[in-house]
Amino acid sequence: MRLCTIQSGGKAVVGVKTDNGKIIDLSKQMPRGPKSVVEILAGGRKLQQAVLKACAKPKAGATVSEKSAKYLPPVPNPGKILCIGLNYRKHAEETGSAIPDYPLVFTRFNNTLVPHNGKLLRPSHSKQFDWEAELAVIIGKKCRNVPKAKALGVIAGYACFNDGSLRDWQRKSGGQFTLGKGFDGTGGFGPDIVTSDELPPGGSPLRIMTRVNGKTMQDSSTDDLIFDVPTLVHELSKVMTLDPGDVIITGTPSGVAMARKPPNWLKPGDVCEIEIEKIGVLRNPVVQGA
């Protein structure tokens, strides 16, 4: 099942993807049905099957094409956005960093999120704007202290994420990542959430790529993760309660601009695409920001 959030009639509504390139506006197809993607994810297989059944025969006027849809981030306002740094072995190596012995955790905030086809903003305070293709994990059940063996059971789905980074700002505060990841409009998210049942357990192995203006910059696989998805859920849930709709951004593979000689930073006019096998393509043009 593929779910997205789109704008319809001036409000955010659930979109259900079909196999023929259409999106069913659930507010029109199922007016008394769930009002958000998170509600559907948290409702589990029973609610998801009910939504799919309701969408089997789209009503007149309830569908839009993927090309014409105005996307919002699939989870527009996550309660938590938890990010993992240096979590691909080859990426750690290309940056000259030691292989972490525990997940390197930092946070993002909702002001950074940009939907599919939305404009990534390169801020006026930096030219060192880097791409980072990442697998996003969306939590579906409220949980705490989750055993690693049961961690996959609290995951509702997966999505594409571009953890856009201002590299000089990452270094400004003693190596903490938050400032470099905190600028408005720098994190691409979407277009869809693909439910867990359609993907390999833990989202691995899946090919993961970045293209800038059609040229491949990153090309790797999620099987290069140092800390896999069950480990991340297990460790994070020791510290905090994870809620439906929380997002875990699992790290980026090798091939970032920072590691190139010379670095070829993202600039206004570029188009950046993140592609993850079986999930889809997240596309964002880059423009000058404030």
Side-chain angles (χ1 to χ4, degrees), residues 38-104:
V38 172
E39 185 180 348
I40 296 173
L41 295 176
R45 293 297 299 161
K46 183 176 181 180
L47 178 57
Q48 291 165 26
Q49 289 299 323
V51 170
L52 285 173
K53 183 177 180 180
C55 292
K57 294 182 178 181
K59 297 178 181 178
T63 61
V64 295
S65 70
E66 291 185 32
K67 289 183 178 180
S68 63
K70 182 173 177 54
Y71 285 91
L72 299 173
V75 181
N77 295 291
K80 305 180 197 68
I81 306 172
L82 303 167
C83 307
I84 312 299
L86 298 175
N87 197 28
Y88 280 73
R89 189 169 298 274
K90 291 180 181 177
H91 174 55
E93 291 170 352
E94 77 175 348
T95 65
S97 303
I99 302 299
D101 56 11
Y102 189 82
L104 194 165

Side-chain angles (χ1 to χ4, degrees), residues 54-274:
C55 292
K57 294 182 178 181
K59 297 178 181 178
T63 61
V64 295
S65 70
E66 291 185 32
K67 289 183 178 180
S68 63
K70 182 173 177 54
Y71 285 91
L72 299 173
V75 181
N77 295 291
K80 305 180 197 68
I81 306 172
L82 303 167
C83 307
I84 312 299
L86 298 175
N87 197 28
Y88 280 73
R89 189 169 298 274
K90 291 180 181 177
H91 174 55
E93 291 170 352
E94 77 175 348
T95 65
S97 303
I99 302 299
D101 56 11
Y102 189 82
L104 194 165
V105 183
F106 59 96
T107 56
R108 264 190 178 270
F109 304 101
N110 292 334
N111 65 292
T112 68
L113 298 182
V114 177
H116 176 61
N117 291 329
K119 297 174 182 178
L120 287 176
L121 306 179
R122 188 190 73 172
S124 60
H125 301 288
S126 175
K127 292 184 179 179
Q128 296 186 14
F129 191 21
D130 207 343
W131 58 79
E132 290 193 14
E134 308 214 11
L135 175 71
V137 175
I138 294 83
I139 299 297
K141 295 180 181 179
K142 187 171 185 174
C143 58
R144 180 78 195 276
N145 292 318
V146 181
K148 187 174 177 180
K150 296 184 178 181
L152 294 181
V154 305
I155 296 169
Y158 300 85
C160 298
F161 201 93
N162 187 353
D163 191 25
S165 304
L166 284 304
R167 296 301 188 186
D168 47 352
W169 282 78
Q170 276 187 234
R171 298 188 291 269
K172 279 183 180 287
S173 56
Q176 297 292 324
F177 287 1
T178 301
L179 289 182
K181 312 280 187 168
F183 281 88
D184 292 350
T186 53
F189 184 22
D192 314 323
I193 293 172
V194 180
T195 51
S196 299
D197 58 297
E198 296 198 9
L199 297 172
S204 185
L206 293 172
R207 189 179 184 185
I208 181 168
M209 305 173 67
T210 295
R211 291 184 295 272
V212 178
N213 303 327
K215 182 178 180 181
T216 299
M217 298 297 180
Q218 293 180 287
D219 191 351
S220 186
S221 170
T222 55
D223 63 7
D224 191 42
L225 283 167
I226 297 168
F227 304 103
D228 63 13
V229 169
T231 299
L232 296 177
V233 172
H234 172 60
E235 293 297 335
L236 290 168
S237 71
K238 289 179 181 178
V239 178
M240 68 194 79
T241 299
L242 299 176
D243 295 298
D246 285 352
V247 181
I248 302 172
I249 311 301
T250 55
T252 197
S254 60
V256 296
M258 176 180 65
R260 297 171 181 268
K261 297 182 180 179
N264 52 335
W265 309 113
L266 288 170
K267 61 186 184 303
D270 288 342
V271 175
C272 190
E273 294 178 309
I274 307 300

